[in-house]
Amino acid sequence: MSDVPEFTVRVDQNAYLPAGGREMHAIVTVEARSSRADATGTGTGTGTGNDGGRAPAAEIILIDTSGSMSYRGKMAAAKRAARAAVNVLRDGVHFAVVAGANRPRMIYPQGERLVAADETSRRSAVQAVQRLEAAGGTAIGSWLLLADRLFTGYDDAVKHAILLTDGKNQHESAGELDAALRACSGHFLCDARGVGTDWDVAELRKITSALLGGFLDVPDPADLEADFLAMTRTAMSKEVADVSLRVWTPKQARLRFVKQMVPAVEDLTGRRVESGTQTGDYPLGAWGDETREYHLCVEIDEPGDVGRQMRAAWVKLLAGDDVLASGNVLAEWTDDEASSTRISGRVAHHTGQSELAEAIQQGLEARRTGDEDTATARLGRAVVLAREVGNEQISDLLDRVVDVVDPASGTVRLKREVSKADEMSLDTRSVRTVRTRHGEERKDPDERDEHDERGGG
């Protein structure tokens, strides 16, 4: 597979367990580095000409055209954003633009099909987008099912959809949306954006989690154009369509969980597909020039004797049947307390980030239901964790929701007046993480070096 980026796998852990210890944690960092001179793969506004052998791609832009999009400049902003996205599609990328309401409608091209991007098709698509009008309701599952049909036949391509909505999925049942997500899962990736403040954070989180994408809030419609440009350029930079993480564990061990930690917290445990004796595969989606980090926890049923070493897990990165990179998670039992109690800085950092996301989501939910005691306790804990892992963006967002009395202890007071946009931003971005330096270790959670305190990377 000479056309794919060069992948590396690095495992960070403390391999020593105390006598009788059974739980091993490790951070698996996967890095892909493109050999191309232009790793971004982005267009210039008029296409990129020769694709240079890059992996084929297919792109669908799903624009909410429900009646509520006619307010506060959202429709005009969505048109500008869609035009910008179309204009940076590479020549040869197959694409379509779809209007979403009670039912999806093809905007460009006519008929349920994709067309190859070139100067003519991009210009025609931009003209078609300009004619978009807002009317009707919201039935996102039906939009995704149309995208799934359009992507049929492009099995070797990097298939990516952009979904924009400004409201809740009110015109189909939750069961219909869930059925659509099951039908589409594993077929294409979808990134979503919620514009304004009338959409449902949990709903977009569920959609993008099922479709291996990400989502963000865009409170100001004026920011949509830059956001669509960034999403499309990232999609155009992908070079491998479907990558998976295969994890082998010995007979006397089991994998408790696999979580993506960078760029965002996403629990992959339930996505396991059995792939052989003692192995399971976890889908990671499409890859370009990037780095992601994963937290693995292995539970060993039968601890070894002091001095015994074993392979607790063997991880492989796969594209189809091709092994791109691999690494080992090791375990060795010791009676040396200094060795067994040393905490891997990277494991501690990501454990904190995972707890931070949970604390924020639990605190906001308690606040919404009127449970002020729980909300105060959980958001106070989030203040402490955000400081510990160095997530300054989350700290700033927390400051808009609570008054911080003592950041070290997490003593806070709930603000009485909080804008809906600030609450949604905190909820949306709770899972977005910061990286820390490789190879950090510390003997005690309170022993931090300056870099670990910042959570830099």
Side-chain angles (χ1 to χ4, degrees):
M1 300 184 66
S2 58
D3 291 337
V4 305
E6 179 182 355
F7 283 83
T8 58
V9 166
R10 179 176 51 254
V11 177
D12 290 287
Q13 64 168 130
N14 175 17
Y16 291 102
L17 289 173
R22 299 175 55 194
E23 194 170 276
M24 175 56 66
H25 291 262
I27 301 300
V28 176
T29 301
V30 179
E31 186 173 20
R33 286 291 170 259
S34 175
S35 59
R36 298 176 185 275
D38 175 16
T40 64
T42 59
T44 61
T46 57
T48 59
N50 191 334
D51 201 25
R54 189 179 295 277
E59 185 78 21
I60 298 174
I61 302 170
L62 303 164
I63 301 295
D64 187 338
T65 57
S66 60
S68 57
M69 285 289 289
S70 62
Y71 299 101
R72 295 185 291 278
K74 289 181 285 189
M75 193 72 253
K79 291 179 183 181
R80 290 192 299 270
R83 292 197 303 266
V86 166
N87 277 328
V88 294
L89 295 172
R90 301 195 314 268
D91 280 357
V93 170
H94 286 79
F95 78 102
V97 182
V98 173
N102 300 68
R103 297 184 182 88
R105 180 169 59 89
M106 295 294 297
I107 297 301
Y108 185 83
Q110 294 300 304
E112 290 194 8
R113 62 192 180 96
L114 303 182
V115 296
D118 58 24
E119 185 176 351
T120 300
S121 62
R122 281 190 292 268
R123 183 170 58 249
S124 297
V126 164
Q127 292 170 350
V129 165
Q130 192 56 37
R131 297 190 290 270
L132 284 172
E133 294 183 356
T138 305
I140 296 174
S142 68
W143 311 353
L144 296 171
L145 289 173
L146 173 56
D148 196 35
R149 295 195 298 273
L150 293 172
F151 280 131
T152 300
Y154 295 89
D155 294 342
D156 294 332
V158 175
K159 294 174 287 187
H160 178 258
I162 292 174
L163 167 66
L164 173 68
T165 186
D166 78 326
K168 300 177 179 67
N169 196 49
Q170 295 176 325
H171 294 87
E172 63 185 8
S173 68
E176 287 174 312
L177 176 59
D178 289 343
L181 293 176
R182 288 193 297 271
C184 297
S185 180
H187 294 181
F188 62 93
L189 278 67
C190 180
D191 288 318
R193 294 296 183 263
V195 62
T197 58
D198 294 328
W199 51 281
D200 189 317
V201 173
E203 196 165 72
L204 279 199
R205 180 176 284 129
K206 177 172 69 173
I207 290 168
T208 54
S209 177
L211 301 180
L212 297 180
F215 77 105
L216 278 176
D217 58 308
V218 187
D220 187 347
D223 295 329
L224 277 176
E225 182 175 358
D227 199 59
F228 268 49
L229 277 171
M231 276 193 290
T232 309
R233 285 171 169 155
T234 297
M236 292 298 96
S237 73
K238 302 300 184 184
E239 298 184 59
V240 189
D242 293 299
V243 175
S244 61
L245 184 71
R246 176 167 294 174
V247 183
W248 170 92
T249 50
K251 290 181 179 180
Q252 67 270 37
R254 63 186 180 90
L255 198 59
R256 282 193 56 210
F257 63 74
V258 179
K259 296 180 181 179
Q260 177 184 277
M261 297 307 304
V262 172
V265 178
E266 182 69 45
D267 193 341
L268 305 179
T269 310
R271 297 179 183 170
R272 179 184 177 99
V273 176
E274 298 298 328
S275 55
T277 304
Q278 299 159 231
T279 65
D281 292 354
Y282 300 85
L284 306 184
W287 279 68
D289 193 79
E290 60 190 294
T291 300
R292 304 182 202 173
E293 298 180 12
Y294 302 89
H295 184 178
L296 274 61
C297 176
V298 180
E299 186 170 22
I300 301 165
D301 296 330
E302 301 174 8
D305 297 329
V306 170
R308 182 191 170 199
Q309 186 183 72
M310 67 174 287
R311 178 192 277 173
W314 185 17
V315 298
K316 295 181 181 180
L317 206 67
L318 302 176
D321 294 327
D322 295 295
V323 178
L324 305 175
S326 64
N328 290 307
V329 177
L330 304 175
E332 181 174 344
W333 285 268
T334 180
D335 54 9
D336 180 354
E337 184 177 358
S339 295
S340 64
T341 57
R342 184 180 300 117
I343 300 172
S344 164
R346 293 179 64 73
V347 170
H349 179 79
H350 286 316
T351 299
Q353 296 199 123
S354 184
E355 186 186 349
L356 171 62
E358 291 179 1
I360 289 171
Q361 292 170 27
Q362 291 168 357
L364 290 177
E365 179 60 26
R367 183 180 179 278
R368 284 190 286 267
T369 60
D371 184 351
E372 293 193 2
D373 289 343
T374 299
T376 301
R378 299 309 291 146
L379 292 174
R381 177 60 178 158
V383 166
V384 173
L385 291 166
R387 182 170 175 263
E388 287 183 350
V389 303
N391 197 324
E392 295 179 0
Q393 183 187 48
I394 292 297
S395 291
D396 291 342
L397 290 170
L398 281 164
D399 285 342
R400 302 177 192 179
V401 177
V402 297
D403 291 316
V404 180
V405 178
D406 182 0
S409 66
T411 304
V412 304
R413 289 190 298 266
L414 298 180
K415 289 183 183 291
R416 292 302 167 192
E417 299 293 331
V418 177
S419 75
K420 191 173 181 181
D422 285 342
E423 180 181 333
M424 293 176 73
S425 287
L426 178 58
D427 195 354
T428 299
R429 297 165 193 270
S430 62
V431 298
R432 300 184 73 82
T433 54
V434 293
R435 295 181 63 195
T436 189
R437 191 170 57 189
H438 299 304
E440 291 175 335
E441 290 184 346
R442 61 179 194 260
K443 297 179 181 180
D444 182 270
D446 293 326
E447 294 180 12
R448 303 175 182 278
D449 65 21
E450 180 183 359
H451 191 95
D452 192 29
E453 187 70 42
R454 294 194 308 269

